[in-house]
């Protein structure tokens, strides 16, 4: 399969260099690499000029195309006619050497797949357990593996607000468990959400739909929106053998107030993509869970050393929540 790698970047020349170095170590190298840069300076362009990477094409986007979803759509328009698969990676990722090879083999095994996601291996510690293992209140167990559950999930369990869907599927009140709750089992799992920063799609998908430009700038949950819409048209999978490291570089991120506001407003938006008319119980559970998560974030003002960040994000969440009363996002 011919495939294209698109990397949308903003003010991260160092992390991008590390990603591209890991691409050069791949057992299967992309047929083309498109760097879609929205940086406010020339540091990324200069880095790429000083370091030659095979089959790489660099594009500095004009202001009207800046923002993650706009940059992705911009890159899609530049993909070679011969490419069959389009891969996206965040610019602060480092790949295992067999990432692309394993990822593309998934399309051979599941020819009906419209999208296949990779697996971030450095976010969570998992431990293998036997099939009879009974999870503690602060643990999550799935497919023979366990991991620690954070305080938010422990409290939600106690209140009957935990997700009743498998990881990668959205319950009717949203607030589900993401694909980050899939274990490193080496298995391939069907999902309805994949992470945009470690994703791939059949090119034909983009004849039907594009990334929503509602998610201006940073684009929080833009991948959930796209995945949920695509899942209505066909099958999506995550291959836990296609592994990578995500280092969550802080440069280029919005301030915590804006981030907190986006958590709530964008979360509401993607919830209504799948469930445009939720029933009263689902609405109540969404609001109660949002309130609880905001309260937990407020407690971080007391129990973490990043008090200012916790406070400003919490205020942003509150403002985002209240804004839904008068100004709901337009779907």
């Amino acid at each position: 399969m011919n495939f294209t790698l698109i990397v949308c970047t903003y003010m991260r020349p160092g992390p991008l260099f590390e990603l591209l170095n890991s691409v050069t170590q791949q057992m299967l190298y992309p047929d083309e690499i498109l760097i879609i840069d929205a940086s406010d300076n020339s540091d990324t362009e200069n880095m790429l000029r000083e370091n030659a990477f095979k089959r790489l094409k660099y594009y500095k986007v004009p202001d009207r195309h800046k923002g993650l979803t706009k940059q992705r759509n911009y890159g899609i328009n530049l993909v070679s006619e011969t490419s069959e698969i389009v891969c996206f990676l965040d610019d602060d990722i480092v790949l295992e050497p067999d990432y692309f090879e394993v990822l593309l083999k998934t399309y051979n095994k599941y020819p009906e797949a419209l999208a296949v996601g990779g697996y971030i291996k450095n976010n969570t510690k998992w431990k293998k357990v036997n099939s009879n293992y009974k999870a503690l209140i602060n643990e999550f167990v799935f497919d023979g593996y366990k991991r620690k559950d954070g305080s938010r999930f422990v409290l939600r369990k106690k209140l009957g607000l935990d997700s009743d869907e498998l990881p990668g599927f959205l319950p009717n009140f949203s607030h589900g468990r993401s694909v980050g709750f899939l274990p490193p089992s080496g298995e391939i799992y069907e999902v309805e959400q994949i992470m945009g920063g470690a994703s791939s799609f059949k090119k034909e998908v983009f004849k039907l739909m594009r990334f929503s430009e509602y998610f201006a700038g940073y684009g929080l949950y833009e991948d959930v929106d796209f995945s949920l819409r695509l899942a209505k048209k066909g099958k999506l999978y995550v291959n836990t053998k296609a592994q990578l490291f995500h280092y969550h570089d802080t440069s280029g991120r919005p301030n915590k107030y804006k981030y907190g506001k986006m958590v709530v407003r964008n979360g509401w938006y993607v919830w209504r993509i799948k469930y445009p008319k939720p029933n009263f119980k689902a609405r109540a559970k969404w609001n109660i869970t949002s309130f609880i998560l905001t309260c937990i974030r407020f407690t971080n003002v007391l129990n973490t050393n990043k008090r200012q960040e916790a406070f400003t994000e919490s205020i942003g969440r509150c403002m985002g929540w209240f804004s839904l009363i008068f100004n709901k996002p337009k779907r």
Side-chain angles (χ1 to χ4, degrees), residues 49-323:
R49 188 179 292 116
E50 294 167 4
N51 299 275
F53 295 97
K54 282 193 310 181
R55 305 174 194 163
L56 185 146
K57 300 173 185 176
Y58 171 82
Y59 298 91
K60 185 72 171 281
V61 297
D63 287 345
R64 68 181 182 276
H65 291 295
K66 289 186 177 182
L68 181 57
T69 56
K70 289 183 178 182
Q71 287 171 250
R72 284 183 180 160
N73 291 335
Y74 188 93
I76 289 163
N77 291 331
L78 300 169
V79 171
S80 167
E81 288 291 328
T82 59
S83 279
E84 301 165 79
I85 304 294
V86 180
C87 301
F88 292 93
L89 291 172
D90 280 351
D91 53 10
D92 54 357
I93 272 171
V94 172
L95 304 174
E96 290 284 24
D98 62 349
Y99 176 79
F100 288 126
E101 182 180 57
V102 173
L103 197 73
L104 267 65
K105 280 182 177 179
T106 315
Y107 289 99
N108 294 327
K109 185 170 183 179
Y110 297 96
E112 76 280 10
L114 295 180
V116 178
Y119 185 82
I120 297 172
K121 66 182 295 184
N122 63 316
N123 276 359
T124 308
K125 291 183 178 180
W126 289 85
K127 185 176 180 180
K128 204 162 187 177
V129 294
N130 61 50
S131 58
N132 299 320
Y133 183 81
K134 301 294 184 183
L136 303 176
I137 187 68
N138 66 339
E139 293 177 334
F140 175 73
V141 174
F142 188 79
D143 204 12
Y145 286 81
K146 72 172 184 177
R147 56 167 284 178
K148 291 290 185 183
D149 252 347
S151 58
R152 57 179 181 154
F153 279 107
V154 173
L155 182 56
R156 285 174 59 186
K157 286 176 188 176
K158 292 178 178 178
L159 297 175
L161 295 170
D162 196 11
S163 173
D164 53 0
E165 294 281 356
L166 297 175
F169 288 88
L170 199 72
N172 66 353
F173 65 101
S174 194
H175 298 294
R177 290 182 182 263
S178 71
V179 294
F181 285 88
L182 294 173
S185 62
E187 298 296 326
I188 299 170
Y189 297 98
E190 185 178 345
V191 295
E192 63 178 11
Q193 301 173 47
I194 56 176
M195 294 175 290
S199 60
S200 69
F201 305 89
K202 284 182 176 172
K203 192 174 73 171
E204 66 196 52
V205 162
F206 301 112
K207 295 177 182 178
L208 304 173
M209 53 191 288
R210 294 295 175 96
F211 291 94
S212 172
E213 295 185 1
Y214 163 80
F215 299 90
Y218 180 63
L220 185 68
Y221 302 152
E222 94 297 332
D223 47 1
V224 181
D225 163 72
F226 190 83
S227 297
L228 290 174
R229 288 188 286 125
L230 184 58
K232 296 176 182 179
K233 303 179 185 297
K235 301 286 189 180
L236 286 65
Y237 297 92
V238 167
N239 190 330
T240 61
K241 284 184 71 175
Q243 298 188 346
L244 49 84
F245 300 85
H246 189 193
Y247 290 107
H248 301 281
D249 193 274
T250 56
S251 57
R253 293 179 183 269
N255 67 52
K256 286 295 181 179
Y257 173 80
K258 289 182 179 179
Y259 178 81
K261 197 172 179 181
M262 281 192 290
V263 166
V264 176
R265 289 185 61 82
N266 292 9
W268 185 95
Y269 181 93
V270 298
W271 172 40
R272 294 304 184 90
I273 289 297
K274 184 176 180 184
Y275 301 105
K277 295 181 179 180
N279 60 32
F280 175 79
K281 183 178 179 181
R283 291 168 188 259
K285 290 178 75 172
W286 186 89
N287 281 282
I288 292 169
T289 306
S290 296
F291 174 75
I292 289 169
L293 295 177
T294 300
C295 290
I296 290 174
R297 191 64 177 121
F298 262 120
T299 65
N300 296 150
V301 175
L302 303 175
N303 58 22
T304 70
N305 57 5
K306 295 183 178 180
R307 296 179 179 181
Q308 183 66 33
E309 288 187 6
F311 181 74
T312 53
E313 182 185 323
S314 300
I315 295 298
R317 286 180 182 238
C318 290
M319 293 305 297
W321 197 22
F322 285 121
S323 73

Side-chain angles (χ1 to χ4, degrees), residues 12-29:
R12 290 178 177 173
L16 178 61
F17 177 75
E18 297 300 325
L19 165 61
L20 293 173
N21 270 338
S22 73
V23 173
T24 65
Q25 306 301 315
Q26 288 295 294
M27 298 163 68
L28 192 62
Y29 194 84

